[in-house]
Amino acid sequence: MLTLSDCEKSYAGRNLFSEVTLQVNRGDRIGLVGPNGAGKTTLFKLILGQEEPDSGSVTFQRGATVGFLPQETAPAGEETVIELVCSLPASGMGHDDDAEMEFDGSAVAKAKRILKGLAFRETDFDRAVKTLSGGWVMRAHLARLLVQEPDLLMLDEPTNHLDLET
């Protein structure tokens, strides 16, 4: 589904990584671990097409969709939790940025099941996202991605705003 071939990236003369070759197939679960400044987020940016490798290539299987949860989510607005979860991401690969997903009753029910699985209560569904803590906003954005079922789900430090128990 995703292939990186001999990718290299440097900044200001500092080589972050070189000769990175990776293949991600459907069903794979991969964790990328390393110290701050090692290039993890930069590698994500290469995969997302936000930056180009200095050398090498990044290719996707035709039609593959990507869902991305960044370290910091977008500022919360006036929308409710259920409205956020039932909308397209602001910048998702493989989606029309200005479109909204058409949700029938079963899709809304799916969104509610996912929210409940992430410990939201039914009374939270109609709360304004801006009233939630950072950890709950992160969960709501994760729920939105899970509802969309992208082929590749990329989470950049998804536990940043979560408490220890979560």
Side-chain angles (χ1 to χ4, degrees):
M1 172 178 18
L2 165 66
T3 304
L4 279 72
S5 300
D6 292 322
C7 287
E8 183 172 325
K9 189 67 177 180
S10 298
Y11 284 112
R14 180 175 174 244
N15 189 13
L16 288 178
F17 48 81
S18 61
E19 299 180 18
V20 172
T21 297
L22 169 72
Q23 182 169 335
V24 179
N25 299 306
R26 289 189 188 279
D28 285 353
R29 290 187 171 101
I30 299 170
L32 183 59
V33 180
N36 289 343
K40 300 179 301 292
T41 298
T42 299
L43 185 60
F44 269 29
K45 288 179 180 180
L46 296 182
I47 292 169
L48 292 166
Q50 296 171 348
E51 292 190 23
E52 295 292 323
D54 296 336
S55 63
S57 64
V58 177
T59 57
F60 281 92
Q61 177 181 342
R62 178 175 287 141
T65 57
V66 176
F68 175 60
L69 184 68
Q71 288 183 32
E72 301 294 330
T73 59
E78 298 295 325
E79 71 272 8
T80 65
V81 170
I82 197 70
E83 289 170 342
L84 174 72
V85 172
C86 292
S87 67
L88 283 174
S91 60
M93 292 177 59
H95 297 290
D96 179 356
D97 288 345
D98 297 323
E100 283 200 5
M101 295 176 75
E102 291 185 24
F103 275 79
D104 58 21
S106 64
V108 171
K110 175 183 174 183
K112 289 180 177 182
R113 276 192 313 276
I114 289 170
L115 283 166
K116 286 179 183 178
L118 292 170
F120 281 91
R121 297 179 311 255
E122 215 162 302
T123 56
D124 295 326
F125 298 167
D126 292 323
R127 285 183 63 187
V129 175
K130 70 179 183 179
T131 67
L132 303 175
S133 70
W136 286 99
V137 172
M138 185 69 74
R139 288 183 203 203
H141 282 278
L142 177 58
R144 179 177 63 176
L145 291 174
L146 294 173
V147 165
Q148 294 168 12
E149 297 184 19
D151 298 312
L152 178 63
L153 181 58
M154 296 177 50
L155 311 174
D156 192 354
E157 299 195 28
T159 60
N160 265 2
H161 298 283
L162 302 180
D163 57 33
L164 192 55
E165 181 180 327
T166 304

